[in-house]
Amino acid sequence: MARVAREMVERSGINVDELVELLVKNASAELTTYYYYTILRVNLIGLKGEGLKEIAEAARIEDRNHFEALVPRIYELGGALPASMNDFHDISACPPAPLPEDPTNIEAMLKVFVNAERCAVRGYTQICNMTAGKDHRTYDLALAILNEEIEHESWFSEFLGEGPSGHFLRRGENSPFVSKFLK
Ligand SMILES: [Fe+2]
């Protein structure tokens, strides 16, 4: 634990135990979504499925990166991951992203993806609201993750025809915002 780092956050008026609980729940959402997206991605087949595979893969890898970036902050603030993977899965801030009954129904697949991203956008917005101007490191981290989640939501909602996202494919490395926390 980074004792003084935690002390500074406490002095800012944040309930650090509450913040750590949110970070752990969102870390769980990241790792479980990474797992469920792996199943969704391998089931993206055929003409329509192949078209989605690249953005699904970018979102999958970036969710794994989000988990990796959150873990050090959890421990810095005196928190820990649950000892049991089952317990970790079950406290996730977001519901599982299950494979639809008919994986060839691309619209159903897209809805699973976009709903998972929307849950993440809400979660990191909450953490940003809680830490802005108070816990600078967690705010910076949560904002970086939020940027990527918003892009993920835009990509999938565009495929659903909900409107232009203004984005194109990831050029180069994944996690353009979060990568500085992965060094
Ligand atoms: Fe994520």
Side-chain angles (χ1 to χ4, degrees):
M1 176 171 62
R3 191 173 53 75
V4 173
R6 180 179 163 117
E7 218 176 277
M8 292 300 113
V9 178
E10 279 165 347
R11 282 205 202 154
S12 78
I14 288 179
N15 178 332
V16 179
D17 291 336
E18 201 183 301
L19 175 59
V20 166
E21 193 187 334
L22 268 181
L23 294 175
V24 173
K25 287 181 172 179
N26 280 277
S28 165
E30 298 292 359
L31 196 65
T32 52
T33 301
Y34 171 69
Y35 180 81
Y36 289 114
Y37 273 21
T38 304
I39 298 168
L40 291 166
R41 200 215 67 205
V42 293
N43 281 281
L44 287 170
I45 56 171
L47 264 181
K48 288 186 185 166
E50 287 297 332
L52 259 180
K53 211 168 239 178
E54 198 158 357
I55 60 167
E57 179 62 0
R60 187 181 78 99
I61 296 298
E62 290 180 5
D63 282 343
R64 185 199 62 199
N65 291 345
H66 298 164
F67 170 76
E68 293 283 359
L70 284 164
V71 169
R73 190 62 184 149
I74 290 167
Y75 283 87
E76 283 168 6
L77 291 173
L81 296 178
S84 149
M85 186 81 176
N86 299 64
D87 294 346
F88 189 48
H89 175 280
D90 297 344
I91 58 165
S92 173
C94 295
L99 186 68
E101 231 168 83
D102 174 10
T104 64
N105 177 345
I106 288 297
E107 186 139 335
M109 293 283 262
L110 275 166
K111 287 208 171 116
V112 173
F113 281 115
V114 86
N115 286 337
E117 300 303 338
R118 286 176 174 157
C119 179
V121 168
R122 291 188 197 100
Y124 291 106
T125 301
Q126 184 189 2
I127 296 172
C128 283
N129 292 344
M130 189 178 177
T131 56
K134 295 180 176 172
D135 176 353
H136 311 296
R137 181 162 164 82
T138 305
Y139 176 76
D140 196 17
L141 171 61
L143 184 60
I145 298 174
L146 179 60
N147 274 300
E148 292 180 7
E149 304 292 12
I150 289 171
E151 292 192 350
H152 298 169
E153 184 202 357
S154 309
W155 301 342
F156 292 119
S157 80
E158 189 175 63
F159 263 89
L160 275 168
E162 293 178 352
S165 73
H167 293 282
F168 190 54
L169 284 177
R170 273 273 183 268
R171 293 194 193 98
E173 295 287 306
N174 284 119
S175 284
F177 297 93
V178 173
S179 52
K180 69 177 180 182
F181 294 98
L182 301 172
K183 303 271 183 254

